[in-house]
Amino acid sequence: MAAAALRIARRFAGGVAAAIALFLLTAWIGSAIPRNPDWTEPLPDEPGVVTIMVGTNGVHTELVMPLVTPQIDWRPLFPAADVPAAGEPYTHIAVGWGEREVFLNTPTWADLDPVDAVRALIGGDALLHVAHYVRPAPGPDNRPLRLRAAEYARLAARIRAALPPDHRRARYPGYARHDVFYDAKGSYSWRNTCNQWTSDSLAAAGVRIGRWSPLAGGVMRWIPEPR
């Protein structure tokens, strides 16, 4: 009996390892296939250019955008009054999409509950994480990306479409004094991750980005590091 149980355990572990390897391989291939392959980044002096940033912590990605541009004023949608440090002279917001329980229960990756992680991969409700920043600096994990005015307008429309109507939009405390969570449309799963949301949002704007990018690296491979 013990030998049979050991064989079953080994087969199960081998199956899990094979599934993980297949997922990683598929994610690598999917993120290498471009959408909007003819897109080129506008020159800095092109009229109407808006510079955003694509941020990452190595696992999760987010879109960092100016607080106010001719295309959109984010303040009515994401007011600074919703964060504890409401009085700072904020210039940018960072918006990321993700699974509710993982977002709310994981202030650091050390706090990640494996049960929450498995449930998220199977399917879970979504939240938007919105952080307010004062002149965020570009860097390897916060990469600038220039968009034309019409492209940025499409990106903004895509983000706005992720929000439910005001009367159904609950708010939840963030991790620090400058961030907050909001209810969002959509369902998180292993097929539709936080990074896929970032990729889909950039693709909707017209940016050249991978077709399926469930991992952060699949998104960031298309965004050059600043020189």
Side-chain angles (χ1 to χ4, degrees):
M1 292 292 293
L6 183 59
R7 285 197 298 271
I8 292 172
R10 286 174 175 171
R11 288 173 183 171
F12 177 77
V16 170
I20 293 173
L22 179 61
F23 172 79
L24 293 175
L25 177 61
T26 305
W28 184 84
I29 294 172
S31 67
I33 301 171
R35 290 180 281 184
N36 306 312
D38 296 329
W39 181 82
T40 57
E41 189 173 10
L43 297 173
D45 57 354
E46 187 171 321
V49 165
V50 178
T51 299
I52 69 168
M53 287 184 279
V54 181
T56 183
N57 60 9
V59 177
H60 174 75
T61 53
E62 62 184 7
L63 298 167
V64 184
M65 300 165 289
L67 192 59
V68 181
T69 64
Q71 291 75 31
I72 190 167
D73 182 346
W74 291 111
R75 292 174 296 184
L77 280 175
F78 305 125
D82 287 349
V83 301
E88 298 297 324
Y90 295 116
T91 60
H92 290 71
I93 60 165
V95 180
W97 181 94
E99 200 276 332
R100 175 190 296 267
E101 297 305 319
V102 172
F103 257 160
L104 295 180
N105 299 326
T106 315
T108 70
W109 290 116
D111 300 308
L112 180 62
D113 185 335
V115 174
D116 285 343
V118 171
R119 286 174 178 168
L121 293 175
I122 296 171
D125 294 331
L127 292 180
L128 282 184
H129 180 236
V130 178
H132 295 250
Y133 293 118
V134 180
R135 295 183 295 277
D141 296 329
N142 215 26
R143 303 181 187 182
L145 179 68
R146 295 187 300 272
L147 302 178
R148 297 170 181 85
E151 294 166 350
Y152 183 61
R154 290 196 295 269
L155 178 66
R158 169 84 183 191
I159 294 170
R160 291 186 65 170
L163 287 168
D166 287 346
H167 67 281
R168 295 175 52 197
R169 183 177 153 198
R171 185 175 75 244
Y172 309 89
Y175 303 137
R177 291 180 50 79
H178 64 282
D179 67 320
V180 63
F181 293 101
Y182 299 99
D183 278 336
K185 295 179 182 177
S187 179
Y188 187 102
S189 72
W190 65 272
R191 293 185 299 270
N192 188 38
T193 67
C194 54
N195 302 305
Q196 186 62 35
W197 183 87
T198 301
S199 178
D200 288 344
S201 298
L202 292 170
V207 174
R208 185 164 59 101
I209 197 76
R211 187 163 297 279
W212 188 53
S213 304
L215 304 177
V219 176
M220 303 309 291
R221 70 189 298 174
W222 293 97
I223 315 296
E225 291 191 30
R227 296 179 180 178

